[in-house]
Amino acid sequence: MILHCVFLRFKSSVQDAEKQEIYAAIAALKNTLSGIVDVKFGPNISSEGLSGGFADGFVVTFESPEARDTYLAAPDHLTVAERIVASADGGLSGLIVYDLAI
């Protein structure tokens, strides 16, 4: 399985309602793309102070690397990804993506 972790530094103008819409769009992909096991999202609640300004994030669990690769190329994912990049402070520099084999 693959744990696809995305950490976000949203622009200050992005309101909580817009964040929730983005997360809902990601979660909805589970209903249209096979191989997604689970989707979790929300604010960083760490007390360590080591977030580097990445205050939000989501994690998508895939049943295989192939399912992750299908997701990455899917038009529905690309639409959500474009919205995420547009909402991130600094565009792509406002994102960290980390995939972990579990």
Side-chain angles (χ1 to χ4, degrees):
M1 292 203 309
I2 298 291
L3 199 59
H4 177 70
C5 309
V6 179
F7 306 109
L8 304 157
R9 191 171 46 228
F10 280 112
K11 293 176 182 175
S12 60
S13 61
V14 176
Q15 301 295 311
D16 286 339
E18 185 175 354
K19 292 178 187 180
Q20 292 306 311
E21 289 173 10
I22 289 170
Y23 295 143
I26 295 162
L29 295 174
K30 184 177 179 187
N31 300 324
T32 60
L33 299 172
S34 63
I36 297 175
V37 176
D38 194 24
V39 178
K40 302 277 190 223
F41 51 85
N44 181 352
I45 60 167
S46 174
S47 61
E48 294 179 284
L50 300 173
S51 68
F54 292 87
D56 296 274
F58 63 92
V59 178
V60 181
T61 305
F62 294 98
E63 62 186 27
S64 68
E66 295 80 15
R68 184 257 337 258
D69 294 346
T70 297
Y71 162 89
L72 292 176
D76 290 345
H77 166 260
L78 295 173
T79 298
V80 176
E82 287 175 11
R83 185 173 181 190
I84 291 168
V85 172
S87 300
D89 187 26
L92 288 175
S93 66
L95 302 170
I96 294 176
V97 178
Y98 186 90
D99 287 359
L100 181 66
I102 55 172

